Amino acid sequence: MQKLKIPRNHSGITKTLRLPENLVNDIQLLANLKNISFNKAVIELLDFSLENLDDEDKKLIEATREDFSSTI
């Protein structure tokens, strides 16, 4: 018999963002339509955006990430 395993949510860091009202409204509408939380919608949108960055910007992020991790 298989056992029930409930996945944990990702560990997160709390950040406060000031977003334009129209953007918040559109994200909330999307979240409601997809039956997900506002937070989950924002995470998915940000992930998609970062994965689809301009190649030049991706290289800048990678280089900066490497510099940052070497100082830790």
Side-chain angles (χ1 to χ4, degrees):
M1 182 174 161
Q2 288 184 321
K3 294 188 178 193
L4 174 64
K5 178 162 173 94
I6 299 173
R8 291 183 137 174
N9 283 338
H10 62 84
S11 62
I13 297 173
T14 302
K15 286 286 192 182
T16 301
L17 302 173
R18 287 172 178 43
L19 303 170
E21 187 175 351
N22 63 323
L23 186 62
V24 170
N25 291 340
D26 286 348
I27 295 170
Q28 187 62 63
L29 285 171
L30 177 63
N32 293 347
L33 290 169
K34 295 294 184 174
N35 197 29
I36 59 175
S37 69
F38 179 85
N39 191 62
K40 178 69 174 168
V42 170
I43 290 169
E44 291 295 324
L45 291 165
L46 290 172
D47 277 343
F48 179 83
S49 297
L50 288 171
E51 288 172 9
N52 292 283
L53 277 177
D54 175 88
D55 288 338
E56 203 171 303
D57 288 338
K58 281 184 183 181
K59 288 177 186 173
L60 285 171
I61 287 175
E62 286 298 321
T64 305
R65 185 182 297 134
E66 289 171 11
D67 289 344
F68 180 73
S69 63
S70 66
T71 61
I72 294 178

